[in-house]
Amino acid sequence: MKKVIFLFTVIATAIIAVSCGHSDEPDPVKPDEITRVKDGNGKVFLENGVLVDANIDYTSAELSKALTENEWYFDYGFYYDNSHVSPKKEFGGYWPTNIHVDGTIEYSKFPRQEGKIRDFSINGKELISTPRTEIHSGFAIPVEKYVIIALDLNDNGSSRMILDRQLSAAPIDGYDANSSYARLIWHTIPND
């Protein structure tokens, strides 16, 4: 009987040790685990892993100017993980479509009215989209965080902004849930 109790104690201790050592957050990615093309040295990757020139060292003043003086529209997006970069993908109604100079971010295709217009704030290089309304009927609209990877401002009306959003909560088939992202390409709306 002592052996059985001892065995159960060992098993229970092992289960507790294993469960306490894991969190819901993905493990940090080590640079040597990434086999796809990478951002850096004034370049970012776009769909299919094509590297392009981009301003990844923008200032907070440039970002503030970009968001207070320009209307932005979502042009296209794609998915990637540590090993793959997809071609352009069709994004559904749960993705933002416009960033406005009044501090709002629009989700014009969002299926519920209370989720169509949200406020945004900036924290360093992070754009945070916050719902304006309370939770109704058990439907929660989450706060979303986007990392601003690059900001290319041009006076000719063709400015570009590149945002990333981690997808670990909603992984994409064929992509690693711990390292999957959506990359969103934005352009300014030309002034008429």
Side-chain angles (χ1 to χ4, degrees), residues 23-37:
S23 70
D24 293 336
E25 295 296 318
D27 293 331
V29 176
K30 297 175 186 148
D32 59 342
E33 293 175 351
I34 299 173
T35 57
R36 62 160 165 74
V37 65

Side-chain angles (χ1 to χ4, degrees), residues 29-84:
V29 176
K30 297 175 186 148
D32 59 342
E33 293 175 351
I34 299 173
T35 57
R36 62 160 165 74
V37 65
K38 301 173 196 164
D39 299 327
N41 298 322
K43 302 239 183 232
V44 297
F45 65 89
L46 295 181
E47 68 277 9
N48 298 315
V50 174
L51 280 172
V52 297
D53 292 330
N55 179 16
I56 58 177
D57 296 319
Y58 59 88
T59 66
S60 60
E62 289 172 319
L63 180 58
S64 178
K65 178 180 177 170
L67 295 173
T68 58
E69 296 181 10
N70 296 287
E71 293 283 321
W72 294 86
Y73 72 93
F74 172 60
D75 193 2
Y76 70 92
F78 59 92
Y79 302 117
Y80 73 91
D81 65 10
N82 287 342
S83 303
H84 309 90

Side-chain angles (χ1 to χ4, degrees), residues 64-152:
S64 178
K65 178 180 177 170
L67 295 173
T68 58
E69 296 181 10
N70 296 287
E71 293 283 321
W72 294 86
Y73 72 93
F74 172 60
D75 193 2
Y76 70 92
F78 59 92
Y79 302 117
Y80 73 91
D81 65 10
N82 287 342
S83 303
H84 309 90
V85 180
S86 78
K88 290 181 183 180
K89 294 290 184 182
E90 186 69 33
F91 281 41
Y94 292 92
W95 291 92
T97 54
N98 296 84
I99 299 173
H100 300 291
V101 295
D102 66 357
T104 61
I105 186 166
E106 182 177 346
Y107 295 68
S108 63
K109 298 176 186 174
F110 197 78
R112 297 179 63 113
Q113 189 62 36
E114 62 265 29
K116 289 186 183 290
I117 301 293
R118 305 174 196 183
D119 294 317
F120 75 81
S121 59
I122 299 297
N123 182 14
K125 291 193 171 195
E126 206 172 46
L127 183 143
I128 303 163
S129 172
T130 307
R132 294 178 133 188
T133 59
E134 299 290 323
I135 299 170
H136 296 288
S137 306
F139 183 79
I141 301 171
V143 171
E144 296 176 345
K145 295 181 180 183
Y146 300 85
V147 177
I148 304 166
I149 301 299
L151 179 64
D152 299 306

